[in-house]
Amino acid sequence: MSVPSYPFRAVLFDLDGVIVETIPLLRQVWMAFVREQGITPSEDRIRSFYGRRGVDIVRELFGLPGPEAEDLAAVCEARYQEQLTEAVLPTVPGIQPYLDALGALGVRRILTTSATEAVAQVVLRRVGLEECFDGMVTADLVRRGKPHPEPYLAAAMLAGAPPGDCLVVEDAVAGVRAATAAGSPCLGIASSEPPETLLAHGARWCVPNFEQLPEALRVPGMTSGDAKVEGSSSR
């Protein structure tokens, strides 16, 4: 069952690259951190980590067991939080009007991020969006992170809707794969990957930002840009 005037009962949002343009800062902090440990991953390897939990990245890069990976990931996270206090954090164009319009319709808005709750709260406070979500699923609340479907299955449960009635918004391949595996249609935001990459991994639509939503996903009364939309609702 959809909300009147909107095709989905809930929208499940990733954070980095979807709500806030934090990917350059994240990449900078992570690259400095892993190089200190004597590792310089290839560009393809780096991109494969987009959208994934820090502890999973550390476990894969360094071959560490769970507790040791958590400790090392916590060190990097602490550095990232320090940077967040002073960094300029632009929001993705159109996100505030979209969140407000969904809320006015009664569509549930659930943050579903590979960041920890502590980091997610800092980012949302910095950009003034902490009151715009009806709940959140963070890295520390799931046993398996993206690309496993667990985060989006948990978010759908939190929203009180079947996964098929939830729209997922993602910018990373890991997130698109997680959404698809959970059975949720996915809107790709082409901030971290080219549109064709997100579409190839299962995104149903792909746009640059929320000012250019496809017709099927526009909220009544919300203005939208005229740029070309990649993909289609029939994909």
Side-chain angles (χ1 to χ4, degrees):
M1 176 181 176
S2 63
V3 173
S5 303
Y6 205 67
F8 297 101
R9 292 171 58 185
V11 181
L12 317 179
F13 294 88
D14 181 43
L15 176 62
D16 299 300
V18 168
I19 305 296
V20 187
E21 295 177 351
T22 45
I23 298 300
L25 179 62
L26 265 171
R27 181 188 172 103
Q28 174 187 322
V29 172
W30 269 98
M31 286 304 299
F33 178 72
V34 298
R35 282 171 178 156
E36 285 177 12
Q37 316 305 316
I39 295 177
T40 303
S42 68
E43 181 62 28
D44 286 346
R45 193 92 186 276
I46 294 166
R47 298 188 77 83
S48 75
F49 293 140
Y50 285 0
R52 297 178 61 190
R53 299 187 304 175
V55 65
D56 295 331
I57 295 171
V58 168
R59 186 181 293 120
E60 185 173 320
L61 269 178
F62 300 102
L64 295 174
E68 292 181 36
E70 290 172 8
D71 290 345
L72 197 57
V75 173
C76 188
E77 179 183 308
R79 294 187 185 182
Y80 181 53
Q81 283 192 260
E82 288 178 12
Q83 295 290 324
L84 285 173
T85 60
E86 297 182 359
V88 175
L89 300 179
T91 54
V92 173
I95 184 58
Q96 176 87 64
Y98 185 52
L99 287 168
D100 290 346
L102 291 174
L105 281 180
V107 178
R108 299 277 286 173
R109 303 156 299 175
I110 308 295
L111 189 72
T112 315
T113 175
S114 292
T116 63
E117 182 177 1
V119 167
Q121 294 285 9
V122 169
V123 172
L124 292 179
R125 280 198 303 271
R126 282 291 321 275
V127 298
L129 295 177
E130 64 269 40
E131 302 298 327
C132 289
F133 294 93
D134 302 298
M136 67 171 64
V137 174
T138 58
D140 26 16
L141 295 179
V142 295
R143 193 161 59 87
R144 291 161 295 191
K146 304 171 188 177
H148 194 277
E150 183 181 347
Y152 283 117
L153 292 173
M157 184 175 295
L158 185 59
D165 287 343
C166 298
L167 173 68
V168 167
V169 190
E170 269 287 353
D171 70 307
V173 168
V176 173
R177 289 175 57 198
T180 302
S184 296
C186 183
L187 167 66
I189 299 294
S191 58
S192 304
E193 297 284 359
E196 56 269 22
T197 298
L198 299 178
L199 291 167
H201 283 86
R204 187 173 297 181
W205 308 270
C206 195
V207 294
N209 53 56
F210 297 95
E211 294 178 345
Q212 300 173 46
L213 289 169
E215 186 65 38
L217 302 180
R218 293 180 188 174
V219 182
M222 179 184 171
T223 58
S224 193
D226 297 323
K228 179 183 177 182
V229 174
E230 303 285 346
S232 72
S233 59
S234 62
R235 182 181 172 84

